[in-house]
Amino acid sequence: MLACTYVGKGRFALLEKPKPALSDPHDALVRVTLSSICTSDLHILHGSVPRAVPGITVGHEMVGVVEAVGEAVTSVRPGDRVTVNVETFCGECFFCRHGFVNNCTDPDGGWALGCRIDGGQAEYVRVPHADQGLNRIPDTVSDSQALFVGDILATGFWAARISEISDEDTVLILGAGPTGLCTLLCVLLRHPKRVIVCERDPRRRQFVRDHYPEVLVTDPEACREFVLQHSDHGGADRVLEVAGGDDTFRMAWECARPNAIVTVVALYERPQMLPLPEMYGKNLVFKTGGVDGCDCAEILRLIEAGRLDTMPLITHRYPLDRIDEAYYLFENHDDGVIKIAIEPASKEH
């Protein structure tokens, strides 16, 4: 089968690999029908994810059809259309039992797919702990509608949930890339008083204006003053940092009011400064870390009910054998790209 493979820092290659096989009773083999490219894949390409193993198939955003299951798998069966969670988790360790599945202590726990074990920018993928890592897609939901459930939608949903958003809050979201837009969708579900999106790219600012006209939009240069003008208590009540830029962590806490919650969703390529003397007296609460993808079933219900729609985010489609072109487009933000759907072999359901 064809598989987009991490060869080494700065290099992915489309290689021919053997079709994966079940290796554990809790495994499932999934035929990939759609996958996508994530900014985290670019972090691997740039060599900024030390955990990433050269030789692995990359990709952790995918949907597909179950082809085979191990004898211990009970939640899915061959023929089921499924979303694949970005995280694999055992469901039994301390962290899993408390909902912190990103920190699963199993050897394959946490972000493994497309990082430490073979992922889904391929024709097939083996999914460990399938009972926890796969969710059946409702018949009325297409593969395209479900494509982002296991990663960026789960990230946005988690970020909105832990930010403790109320209907009196002004919420600032830094970044209108794919994860920022999914975070925006999930924040809007909580009906805050006001939502502000800060984005550097003028095309993405216009995308927000066109699709979410109730949302206020600004750029980084004007952000701090804009937030002061459009908030009630000297800054945003909740700040969700999704951009991961060189200056966006500072911008996040500077734009927050005293006693605000700052939720850091971004994956940075460089260390960030926590200048506590400058923050003194703001009494901020920081929440950080990787997504705990426990909400995929709920997200699918919301999509089925018409309350979440990520279809506008899919701006381009490519076959797997042209994935190098798709990566170039995605990394360079060409042609107004937001997200790219990769079609490995067959068309979607």
Side-chain angles (χ1 to χ4, degrees), residues 32-37 60-64 82-84 137 141-153 300 303 310-311 314 316-317 339-342 348:
V32 178
T33 54
L34 280 181
S35 63
S36 190
I37 297 171
H60 51 271
E61 289 182 325
M62 71 210 87
V63 294
V82 291
T83 63
V84 181
I137 300 172
V141 174
S142 71
D143 288 0
S144 292
Q145 288 175 296
L147 179 56
F148 306 133
V149 167
D151 185 22
I152 57 174
L153 254 181
L300 280 166
I303 293 171
T310 57
M311 288 297 288
I314 301 176
H316 295 76
R317 293 177 182 267
K339 287 291 281 186
I340 302 172
I342 305 296
E348 66 169 300

Side-chain angles (χ1 to χ4, degrees), residues 25-156:
H26 297 90
D27 287 352
L29 178 64
V30 174
R31 175 175 58 83
V32 178
T33 54
L34 280 181
S35 63
S36 190
I37 297 171
C38 180
T39 304
S40 300
D41 298 322
L42 297 180
H43 291 314
I44 291 176
L45 179 64
H46 299 159
S48 56
V49 182
R51 293 176 296 167
V53 178
I56 57 100
T57 301
V58 294
H60 51 271
E61 289 182 325
M62 71 210 87
V63 294
V65 177
V66 176
E67 181 141 310
V69 297
E71 59 186 21
V73 175
T74 60
S75 66
V76 295
R77 60 187 180 183
D80 285 344
R81 290 190 308 126
V82 291
T83 63
V84 181
N85 198 313
V86 62
E87 296 161 338
T88 52
F89 53 101
C90 68
E92 299 175 356
C93 69
F94 169 85
F95 294 103
C96 285
R97 286 187 284 107
H98 287 80
F100 310 135
V101 301
N102 182 57
N103 305 112
C104 175
T105 57
D106 186 89
D108 285 334
W111 178 25
L113 287 167
C115 181
R116 293 181 282 117
I117 62 175
D118 285 337
Q121 287 174 12
E123 296 175 82
Y124 294 88
V125 61
R126 178 184 69 88
V127 180
H129 301 300
D131 278 337
Q132 286 73 244
L134 298 178
N135 290 88
R136 281 180 288 182
I137 300 172
D139 290 341
T140 57
V141 174
S142 71
D143 288 0
S144 292
Q145 288 175 296
L147 179 56
F148 306 133
V149 167
D151 185 22
I152 57 174
L153 254 181
T155 300

